[in-house]
Amino acid sequence: MPTGRLRAAWRAAHAPVPGAPRWASIAAYAVPLVVLPSSLWRLPATLLHGGGLGVQAYVVSLSVVAELVAFTAVGLVASWGERFPRWIPWLRGRTVPAPVAVIPATVAAAVLTVLWTAAFAAIFRGVTLSGAPAPPDFPTRQGAWPATIFYICYLPLLLWGPLLAVATYAYHRRRRNH
C-alpha cells in the first residue's frame, strides 16, 4: 500500500467521530502524549544503568504496553471505539455497547488517578509507595539534573487518569443510548 493511502487510512480511522466534542478529542489525543515522556525516559535509564537482558526486555515491554494502553483513549473519540474492527471474529462490524468501553475506562481513570497521585505524594516525601525510604540510586536522590529530568518525564502521568476520565465522560454522554 502506498504511503499516501496508508496515511489517509490512519487519519480516517483516528479522526474524531461526529458528535465528539473538541475538548474530549484533545483529552483523548493527549493521553498517549502524557505517557510518552516516562516511556522514553525508562529506555535509556534501563539500557544504560539497568540489570540484565531480562530486566531490559521487561522495561522495553512496559514502555511499549504503556503506550498501547494509553492509545486506547483515542478509541473514545474515534470510529474504532464505536464499531468492532473487521479482524475480530463474531463481532466484526457490530456496534460496541457503550458499557464495554465506559466501565473499563472509568475504572482505569480512577485507578490511574489514585496510583499516580499516591506515587508522587510518596516521591515528594522521599519514600516508596510502601513507605520505605527511597533507595539511594532513585533519580530524585541523584542531584538536581537527574531529579529535574525525572520530574519532567514523570509528572505528566498525573494527568493520565483525569484526561481519560474526561474522554470517557464525553464518550458516555455521546453513546448513552447505545
Side-chain angles (χ1 to χ4, degrees):
M1 179 181 286
T3 305
R5 287 187 12 197
L6 182 61
R7 187 175 295 131
W10 176 268
R11 284 187 185 137
H14 299 93
V17 295
R22 182 164 168 72
W23 51 268
S25 297
I26 291 169
Y29 292 123
V31 169
L33 297 177
V34 300
V35 176
L36 186 60
S38 63
S39 294
L40 294 176
W41 180 88
R42 275 192 299 272
L43 298 176
T46 299
L47 297 176
L48 296 175
H49 309 292
L53 186 60
V55 171
Q56 292 174 349
Y58 166 75
V59 172
V60 170
S61 299
L62 176 65
S63 294
V64 170
V65 169
E67 278 304 315
L68 290 173
V69 168
F71 189 73
T72 62
V74 174
L76 297 170
V77 296
S79 61
W80 55 269
E82 295 185 2
R83 292 215 171 272
F84 288 105
R86 287 181 280 163
W87 53 267
I88 298 180
W90 302 289
L91 297 175
R92 63 183 62 154
R94 292 185 183 178
T95 300
V96 173
V100 169
V102 171
I103 292 170
T106 301
V107 170
V111 168
L112 289 165
T113 300
V114 170
L115 172 71
W116 289 113
T117 302
F120 275 100
I123 289 168
F124 290 139
R125 289 192 329 266
V127 297
T128 64
L129 276 174
S130 65
D137 62 346
F138 197 74
T140 59
R141 299 185 68 189
Q142 295 295 307
W145 281 111
T148 301
I149 293 169
F150 171 82
Y151 284 127
I152 288 170
C153 292
Y154 272 83
L155 278 172
L157 290 173
L158 287 168
L159 298 173
W160 189 356
L163 288 169
L164 181 58
V166 166
T168 303
Y169 173 71
Y171 182 90
H172 169 71
R173 277 189 47 206
R174 191 175 76 252
R175 307 267 336 274
R176 67 178 145 224
N177 297 325
H178 292 88

